[in-house]
Amino acid sequence: MHKIICGLLLCSLALTSCEKDGDEPGISGSLTVDREEILVGPDRVTEKVTISASEKIEWVASSSTKFVYTTPANGTGSAQIEFVIDSTLESGSRTAQVRIMNRNDNSERRIVNITQFGYGKQILLKEPDVEIESSGAYDDRYIKAMVTTNVAFKVVPEVVYELGEELTPGDDATLSDGDLKDWIRIDDVKVPSESDQEEELDRKDRPRSFEIRIPWNMNTIPYTRIAKIRLAPIDPDVELVDQEGKPTGEVILTVRQEAAQHITDDRAGDSLVVVMINEKIQSMVSWDTSENMTNWDVVTLWEESNEDLPEPEAVGRVRSVLFSMFNMQEGEIFPRELRYLKYLESFTLQSNENRQLREMEMGSEVCELEHLKKLTIDSYGLIRLPDDFVRLGGTLEELNLSSNNFTSLTDLTSVVNKTNFPKLKVLRLAACRRNDTMGELNKQDQGQLTSGELGMYLNLNTNKQALIELLKWDALERLNLAYNLFEGELPSDEEMAAAGFTTYKATAEAEEKYPILQDTCRWLLTDREVELPGMNRKVKGSEVLCVLPKARSFSINLNFLTGDIPDWILFHPYFVEWNPESLIFTQWENGKDSQGNSVGFDNIRNNSDFGYGYYYGNGKEADRSKAAYPMYYNKFVGGGDEGGVWPDLP
């Protein structure tokens, strides 16, 4: 034991002496490095290390792993070398050692330790804060965001909306939800599908970059709007971390939209609205905006002399406006500035590009126009009525919804009916077709017909109720149902009677209610019989049902109707004025219904010489006693009015 203790003491003294002299075995002060620890992230990177050595020392560098290599790998004397560290595909960390040794003395060496951290689960936005304009062309109204990620991600549907400024007192009552939120069209965001993302992310945890497109609506209010859009992993159990492995929490894209111009409640505000809307819908119609608004072709203004002036403040404000030949895309809502046209009485919107291919909607702003009497949305691509459309029922007198993409007459008449719109006199629902050449329904897919993919379809052989309810609208003066996809037989006189229609004679105070019965059409109040050419039967005036008694125009042409034209049409008091050869009799030329039957009306099909002698007789005086409507002779033959002397009636 004594010998062992003495030996250890001698060794200790020897080591102490070596340390003082700088002669530690294997380590010499003649070979040094400026870095002994290197920490890097997962991406490929180059790190520089400086070697200090005398000129005579030859050294060599070697790595313990393949993911690190040095350049140069050897040299003489002092030098700077590069460590090239390859990217990792792992989520965890990995280590390596680079040994730098004196070629002539293996005991003289330096060790550089390298630690590379792997990828954590990350979703990184290249630009987390984005600023956009208040408006722009439809094709330019989207945010293109670049996302770098190594996890399948989604855009969270719930967006947080804020305003950049405090609301002016009173604005909170006038701004709608559409003004304050939902201006990011979150349902239309284009994000790569989960399968497409997984295909790109098939190399373990190495991130890939994806592009997402987020569409937005135009700002119509004088406030900055802010939207915070969240991105999250599809797998709810995934926790996002940063490059140091620390949890990041939510990934948020913040969008700031500049405020719109302030629209004042005056004539200047009206002019700004008209110009802004025309630009936003990309209309081909333009005018010199430097001219006084009185000279603009697209508007008329209220004048002090107008008898129906809503109120004195309306003088000089826009009374009617027309927007035409524009290009609004599917999914785009008509500019909300429309509601600022406070005294608008007539609004016309017509001719959207490729409307038959687009399914368009109108915002509820049109329903806020308190003085609107005439509304035309023609060839726009409308597929449904705006919410709260019935709010217009107290003022609207004329409604034209022709050449749109409605699918069902019932959907329209459930809203637009005599109960909801008691003042309406003109209703046009024509040309709601998405194909201008289709003439044989039997060659079309029945599923497309019944679903409305081809236009507004109605089979009167199975459902007459929607049309019957529409025909009960006594106040209508013009009704146009031409050029739709209606097939089957019109409601017969028996079906109309069962639905509650009565004769003119049975109508209370008929002569007072319908002045035409006091002269030209008095026959409808009598039991006198008349006979149509080719009918081989006589009809009493008192048997004719009273349907649309005030209608000076009724059109059902260019459909796919079959069967007979009923008496409630043939003996209508305004039948001659309806131009029946064109607007009643004429169905689709050489057309076929869904059963393959040739379309057209049986009781006039072979009567090419259909005449109107039964209406006004064959001469100014002769045979007048045999005519149903003798006073029409002067109007349609004699060139005069409907005046004259009634013959003696039974």
Side-chain angles (χ1 to χ4, degrees):
M1 179 64 69
H2 177 74
K3 291 181 180 179
I4 292 173
I5 293 173
C6 291
L8 290 173
L9 180 61
L10 290 173
C11 288
S12 174
L13 292 172
L15 288 171
T16 303
S17 176
C18 289
E19 183 178 4
K20 289 180 180 179
D21 296 338
D23 294 329
E24 181 184 354
I27 299 177
S28 171
S30 59
L31 179 64
T32 62
V33 293
D34 66 340
R35 302 173 66 182
E36 294 185 349
E37 293 287 340
I38 295 177
L39 305 177
V40 296
D43 296 320
R44 178 184 175 93
V45 67
T46 299
E47 296 286 334
K48 294 181 179 180
V49 175
T50 300
I51 299 176
S52 298
S54 63
E55 295 181 358
K56 295 181 179 181
I57 293 180
E58 296 181 359
W59 52 264
V60 60
S62 61
S63 173
S64 63
T65 62
K66 293 181 179 180
F67 75 85
V68 179
Y69 67 90
T70 62
T71 178
N74 54 72
T76 303
S78 298
Q80 187 178 72
I81 64 175
E82 293 183 346
F83 290 11
V84 180
I85 306 168
D86 200 3
S87 59
T88 180
L89 303 180
E90 306 293 340
S91 57
S93 62
R94 60 183 179 178
T95 61
Q97 288 184 333
V98 175
R99 179 179 297 178
I100 303 172
M101 300 180 57
N102 187 333
R103 186 187 293 273
N104 299 318
D105 183 359
N106 290 340
S107 64
E108 189 175 13
R109 64 187 182 275
R110 286 286 184 266
I111 302 296
V112 180
N113 295 301
I114 300 170
T115 301
Q116 184 181 40
F117 296 99
Y119 293 101
K121 299 300 183 182
Q122 299 176 0
I123 299 176
L124 303 174
L125 283 165
K126 183 178 180 181
E127 296 183 29
D129 296 286
V130 177
E131 294 187 0
I132 60 175
E133 298 177 347
S134 63
S135 65
Y138 181 82
D139 291 338
D140 299 329
R141 292 205 304 270
Y142 65 88
I143 301 160
K144 183 169 69 173
M146 295 301 298
V147 180
T148 301
T149 181
N150 58 2
V151 58
F153 70 98
K154 64 182 179 180
V155 174
V156 179
E158 294 77 19
V159 179
V160 177
Y161 294 98
E162 301 173 355
L163 287 181
E165 304 86 20
E166 291 187 6
L167 287 173
T168 301
D171 279 354
D172 55 343
T174 59
L175 298 181
S176 65
D177 286 345
D179 293 322
L180 303 176
K181 57 185 181 181
D182 297 333
W183 52 272
I184 293 292
R185 302 207 307 275
I186 200 70
D187 293 338
D188 298 326
V189 171
K190 295 186 182 300
V191 179
S193 67
E194 184 175 359
S195 60
D196 288 344
Q197 291 187 49
E198 294 290 357
E199 184 177 347
E200 285 291 320
L201 297 172
D202 63 350
R203 298 183 181 180
K204 298 185 178 180
D205 289 299
R206 188 172 188 174
R208 293 290 185 269
S209 292
F210 299 92
E211 179 182 287
I212 62 175
R213 292 194 173 199
I214 306 173
W216 47 270
N217 291 332
M218 293 178 285
N219 192 2
T220 61
I221 62 175
Y223 296 95
T224 303
R225 301 196 295 192
I226 301 172
K228 294 182 178 180
I229 305 168
R230 292 178 293 158
L231 280 64
I234 292 177
D235 184 351
D237 296 328
V238 171
E239 182 182 37
L240 300 178
V241 298
D242 59 18
Q243 291 187 356
E244 297 179 359
K246 299 178 182 178
T248 60
E250 294 183 319
V251 178
I252 297 177
L253 173 64
T254 301
V255 182
R256 295 180 64 88
Q257 185 179 38
E258 70 175 1
Q261 286 184 270
H262 180 63
I263 299 174
T264 54
D265 184 14
D266 53 23
R267 177 186 173 118
D270 281 7
S271 65
L272 179 60
V273 166
V274 174
V275 172
M276 289 175 68
I277 291 178
N278 204 59
E279 291 179 354
K280 287 182 176 182
I281 65 176
Q282 302 181 69
S283 173
M284 296 175 61
V285 178
S286 62
W287 62 91
D288 187 355
T289 56
S290 65
E291 287 274 351
N292 188 292
M293 189 164 55
T294 307
N295 299 324
W296 294 3
D297 293 335
V298 297
V299 300
T300 59
L301 308 180
W302 284 102
E303 299 179 3
E304 192 172 359
S305 59
N306 294 141
E307 294 182 359
D308 49 353
L309 185 70
E311 53 187 64
E313 290 77 7
V315 174
R317 302 289 292 270
V318 172
R319 181 179 186 178
S320 71
V321 64
L322 163 67
F323 298 107
S324 63
M325 300 177 65
F326 51 90
N327 184 15
M328 289 187 66
Q329 303 290 331
E330 185 172 324
E332 191 172 11
I333 301 297
F334 193 81
R336 290 192 169 99
E337 287 90 348
L338 177 65
R339 63 183 170 180
Y340 293 114
L341 297 178
K342 183 176 180 179
Y343 296 104
L344 196 62
E345 182 185 61
S346 175
F347 173 49
T348 300
L349 181 66
Q350 62 184 26
S351 191
N352 189 18
E353 185 175 317
N354 293 324
R355 73 89 183 161
Q356 290 169 310
L357 305 178
R358 299 174 181 175
E359 296 189 349
M360 307 296 297
E361 296 194 45
M362 286 284 294
S364 59
E365 288 72 24
V366 68
C367 307
E368 300 178 25
L369 302 174
E370 297 180 357
H371 303 284
L372 195 64
K373 294 182 179 180
K374 301 178 182 179
L375 174 61
T376 295
I377 304 176
D378 187 351
S379 193
Y380 176 68
L382 199 62
I383 58 172
R384 65 178 61 90
L385 296 174
D387 295 337
D388 300 328
F389 193 71
V390 293
R391 291 175 59 184
L392 296 174
T395 60
L396 209 60
E397 297 176 2
E398 296 185 20
L399 177 61
N400 183 357
L401 297 175
S402 297
S403 300
N404 283 294
N405 295 333
F406 299 114
T407 62
S408 167
L409 179 63
T410 304
D411 290 345
L412 288 173
T413 56
S414 63
V415 178
V416 182
N417 52 54
K418 65 178 183 179
T419 301
N420 294 336
F421 289 81
K423 294 186 177 181
L424 199 69
K425 299 177 181 178
V426 177
L427 179 60
R428 295 185 174 92
L429 300 174
C432 292
R433 298 183 56 171
R434 305 186 77 161
N435 186 316
D436 289 324
T437 60
M438 180 175 57
E440 299 183 22
L441 300 186
N442 59 316
K443 293 185 178 181
Q444 307 304 317
D445 183 273
Q446 294 302 301
Q448 288 182 307
L449 272 178
T450 55
S451 66
E453 289 183 43
L454 303 176
M456 189 160 64
Y457 174 74
L458 177 63
N459 189 338
L460 293 171
N461 290 331
T462 59
N463 180 17
K464 289 183 170 66
Q465 193 59 39
L467 179 59
I468 289 175
E469 291 300 318
L470 188 55
L471 295 173
K472 289 182 179 180
W473 205 335
D474 290 353
L476 288 181
E477 297 178 3
R478 297 184 182 277
L479 176 61
N480 190 346
L481 300 173
Y483 193 44
N484 291 306
L485 299 177
F486 293 178
E487 68 168 320
E489 298 186 11
L490 290 169
S492 67
D493 293 284
E494 292 74 19
E495 289 172 322
M496 295 292 276
F501 288 87
T502 60
T503 64
Y504 289 89
K505 186 175 183 179
T507 303
E509 302 176 351
E511 293 192 53
E512 180 178 348
K513 190 174 182 180
Y514 310 118
I516 193 171
L517 301 180
Q518 297 177 16
D519 44 54
T520 306
C521 303
R522 190 176 180 86
W523 167 74
L524 293 169
L525 303 177
T526 74
D527 291 326
R528 186 163 62 88
E529 295 179 326
V530 297
E531 181 179 354
L532 279 174
M535 285 183 60
N536 296 321
R537 66 182 180 88
K538 294 183 178 182
V539 177
K540 292 181 179 180
S542 58
E543 297 174 344
V544 178
L545 295 177
C546 179
V547 182
L548 297 176
K550 294 184 178 181
R552 304 298 294 265
S553 174
F554 178 54
S555 306
I556 55 172
N557 57 305
L558 297 179
N559 280 291
F560 297 83
L561 301 176
T562 53
D564 287 345
I565 298 180
D567 288 348
W568 60 263
I569 288 181
L570 291 175
F571 293 100
H572 192 278
Y574 292 115
F575 181 67
V576 181
E577 299 186 24
W578 286 355
N579 188 13
E581 295 98 331
S582 298
L583 302 182
I584 301 291
F585 300 161
T586 306
Q587 296 302 297
W588 193 264
E589 186 176 2
N590 299 320
K592 304 283 186 180
D593 66 11
S594 61
Q595 302 303 311
N597 301 314
S598 296
V599 303
F601 296 110
D602 294 335
N603 55 345
I604 57 95
R605 191 188 298 270
N606 299 318
N607 194 352
S608 58
D609 297 326
F610 189 89
Y612 298 92
Y614 73 96
Y615 260 83
Y616 41 66
N618 296 319
K620 189 169 184 178
E621 300 296 340
D623 298 324
R624 182 168 292 195
S625 62
K626 299 179 181 180
Y629 308 102
M631 299 304 176
Y632 267 6
Y633 181 87
N634 285 341
K635 180 174 182 179
F636 289 99
V637 179
D641 56 23
E642 298 170 9
V645 179
W646 267 89
D648 293 334
L649 297 176

